[in-house]
PDB file of all heavy atoms in Angstrom:
ATOM      1  N   VAL A 120     -92.541  40.264 211.622  1.00 97.00           N
ATOM      2  CA  VAL A 120     -93.783  40.926 212.051  1.00 97.00           C
ATOM      3  C   VAL A 120     -94.677  41.223 210.838  1.00 97.00           C
ATOM      4  O   VAL A 120     -95.897  41.068 210.895  1.00 97.00           O
ATOM      5  CB  VAL A 120     -93.467  42.211 212.861  1.00 97.00           C
ATOM      6  CG1 VAL A 120     -94.740  42.983 213.191  1.00 97.00           C
ATOM      7  CG2 VAL A 120     -92.721  41.850 214.146  1.00 97.00           C
ATOM      8  N   ILE A 121     -94.055  41.625 209.725  1.00 98.00           N
ATOM      9  CA  ILE A 121     -94.849  41.830 208.486  1.00 98.00           C
ATOM     10  C   ILE A 121     -95.544  40.520 208.112  1.00 98.00           C
ATOM     11  O   ILE A 121     -96.722  40.501 207.739  1.00 98.00           O
ATOM     12  CB  ILE A 121     -93.948  42.291 207.306  1.00 98.00           C
ATOM     13  CG1 ILE A 121     -93.228  43.603 207.649  1.00 98.00           C
ATOM     14  CG2 ILE A 121     -94.761  42.412 206.012  1.00 98.00           C
ATOM     15  CD1 ILE A 121     -94.073  44.847 207.584  1.00 98.00           C
ATOM     16  N   GLY A 122     -94.813  39.414 208.253  1.00 98.00           N
ATOM     17  CA  GLY A 122     -95.393  38.090 207.984  1.00 98.00           C
ATOM     18  C   GLY A 122     -96.573  37.815 208.905  1.00 98.00           C
ATOM     19  O   GLY A 122     -97.612  37.307 208.461  1.00 98.00           O
ATOM     20  N   ASP A 123     -96.417  38.183 210.183  1.00 98.00           N
ATOM     21  CA  ASP A 123     -97.512  37.979 211.144  1.00 98.00           C
ATOM     22  C   ASP A 123     -98.728  38.826 210.775  1.00 98.00           C
ATOM     23  O   ASP A 123     -99.869  38.386 210.908  1.00 98.00           O
ATOM     24  CB  ASP A 123     -97.048  38.353 212.564  1.00 98.00           C
ATOM     25  CG  ASP A 123     -96.043  37.345 213.129  1.00 98.00           C
ATOM     26  OD1 ASP A 123     -95.952  36.227 212.570  1.00 98.00           O
ATOM     27  OD2 ASP A 123     -95.355  37.687 214.113  1.00 98.00           O
ATOM     28  N   ILE A 124     -98.486  40.047 210.310  1.00 98.00           N
ATOM     29  CA  ILE A 124     -99.603  40.932 209.923  1.00 98.00           C
ATOM     30  C   ILE A 124    -100.352  40.329 208.729  1.00 98.00           C
ATOM     31  O   ILE A 124    -101.582  40.289 208.706  1.00 98.00           O
ATOM     32  CB  ILE A 124     -99.102  42.361 209.604  1.00 98.00           C
ATOM     33  CG1 ILE A 124     -98.544  43.008 210.872  1.00 98.00           C
ATOM     34  CG2 ILE A 124    -100.219  43.212 209.004  1.00 98.00           C
ATOM     35  CD1 ILE A 124     -97.799  44.320 210.641  1.00 98.00           C
ATOM     36  N   LEU A 125     -99.595  39.844 207.761  1.00 98.00           N
ATOM     37  CA  LEU A 125    -100.247  39.181 206.618  1.00 98.00           C
ATOM     38  C   LEU A 125    -101.068  37.986 207.107  1.00 98.00           C
ATOM     39  O   LEU A 125    -102.169  37.724 206.622  1.00 98.00           O
ATOM     40  CB  LEU A 125     -99.195  38.721 205.593  1.00 98.00           C
ATOM     41  CG  LEU A 125     -98.540  39.839 204.787  1.00 98.00           C
ATOM     42  CD1 LEU A 125     -97.343  39.292 203.995  1.00 98.00           C
ATOM     43  CD2 LEU A 125     -99.543  40.478 203.826  1.00 98.00           C
ATOM     44  N   GLY A 126    -100.516  37.300 208.096  1.00 98.00           N
ATOM     45  CA  GLY A 126    -101.207  36.129 208.654  1.00 98.00           C
ATOM     46  C   GLY A 126    -102.526  36.498 209.320  1.00 98.00           C
ATOM     47  O   GLY A 126    -103.552  35.842 209.081  1.00 98.00           O
ATOM     48  N   ILE A 127    -102.532  37.567 210.125  1.00 97.00           N
ATOM     49  CA  ILE A 127    -103.790  37.922 210.804  1.00 97.00           C
ATOM     50  C   ILE A 127    -104.806  38.490 209.806  1.00 97.00           C
ATOM     51  O   ILE A 127    -106.006  38.336 209.986  1.00 97.00           O
ATOM     52  CB  ILE A 127    -103.587  38.873 212.026  1.00 97.00           C
ATOM     53  CG1 ILE A 127    -102.950  40.209 211.635  1.00 97.00           C
ATOM     54  CG2 ILE A 127    -102.768  38.188 213.114  1.00 97.00           C
ATOM     55  CD1 ILE A 127    -102.854  41.196 212.804  1.00 97.00           C
ATOM     56  N   GLY A 128    -104.315  39.105 208.727  1.00 97.00           N
ATOM     57  CA  GLY A 128    -105.218  39.568 207.670  1.00 97.00           C
ATOM     58  C   GLY A 128    -105.884  38.376 206.977  1.00 97.00           C
ATOM     59  O   GLY A 128    -107.085  38.381 206.718  1.00 97.00           O
TER      60      GLY A 128
END
Side-chain angles (χ1 to χ4, degrees):
V120 174
I121 301 284
D123 289 344
I124 294 170
L125 288 170
I127 61 175

